[in-house]
Amino acid sequence: MKIKRQADFFSGVMFAAVGGAFAIGATTYNIGDGARMGPGYFPLMLGILLALLGGLIMFQAMVVESADGDKIGKWAWKPLAFVLGANLAFGVLLGGLPSIGLPAMGMIIAIYALTIISSMAGEHFKLRDVLVLSTILAAGSYVAFIWALKLQIQVWPTFISG
């Protein structure tokens, strides 16, 4: 069979691969059964469902014709690098990196870093707008996670909060 919609086909491949990986990973936990579900039951079912959905998308991409074949364009390396880097920076700043002596910087600084770095992925970057968004996200996260849910997340750097 010939691939008739390239973008859809490779999206289906990605869904099937991620779903399969989650399903395989879920088997390391106790699965249980429908009446007494274990911690691996939901990820297993979700992984299987995602893999099946990916298979269906791949099948449709090989059967249903489109005008231009939905060719895959060039990789957007800049946005990919900034978004992945922002998530990496968030994790490192939130929890610190003891192996290199970097202390935890807390949720507020991690959110500011996440927002500023990820916003550099777009075409237009205005620091004022990004700082306003960062402030709203930091305040909302503080209210949701610290006040409402009472989670024990470090809010400020260790050298400030003691």
Side-chain angles (χ1 to χ4, degrees):
M1 289 185 93
K2 182 179 180 237
I3 298 172
K4 297 179 179 177
R5 292 189 317 196
Q6 196 178 47
D8 287 353
F9 180 80
F10 288 108
S11 296
V13 169
M14 182 191 68
F15 283 157
V18 169
F22 269 88
I24 290 168
T27 60
T28 62
Y29 297 105
N30 180 19
I31 304 297
D33 56 27
R36 294 187 50 87
M37 296 179 213
Y41 188 86
F42 184 72
L44 175 67
M45 293 303 139
L46 197 61
I48 291 170
L49 186 64
L50 191 60
L52 290 174
L53 180 65
L56 178 66
I57 291 171
M58 285 188 290
F59 176 74
Q60 282 186 328
M62 293 169 59
V63 173
V64 179
E65 194 77 45
S66 70
D68 62 351
D70 283 338
K71 300 286 185 207
I72 295 179
K74 295 196 298 188
W75 280 73
W77 291 108
K78 178 187 168 195
L80 180 65
F82 276 115
V83 170
L84 290 176
N87 284 286
L88 180 65
F90 178 81
V92 168
L93 290 172
L94 185 63
L97 204 55
S99 61
I100 63 169
L102 181 68
M105 292 294 168
M107 181 181 71
I108 302 298
I109 291 178
I111 288 173
Y112 271 86
L114 172 78
T115 311
I116 291 168
I117 295 169
S118 63
S119 66
M120 291 179 189
E123 297 293 322
H124 307 288
F125 177 81
K126 291 185 179 175
L127 184 60
R128 180 185 57 100
D129 295 345
V130 173
L131 291 176
V132 168
L133 176 62
S134 299
T135 303
I136 292 169
L137 286 173
S141 296
Y142 185 84
V143 168
F145 298 120
I146 306 302
W147 280 356
L149 295 174
K150 305 221 183 305
L151 295 180
Q152 299 297 315
I153 300 173
Q154 184 174 335
V155 178
W156 298 105
T158 52
F159 54 85
I160 292 176
S161 59

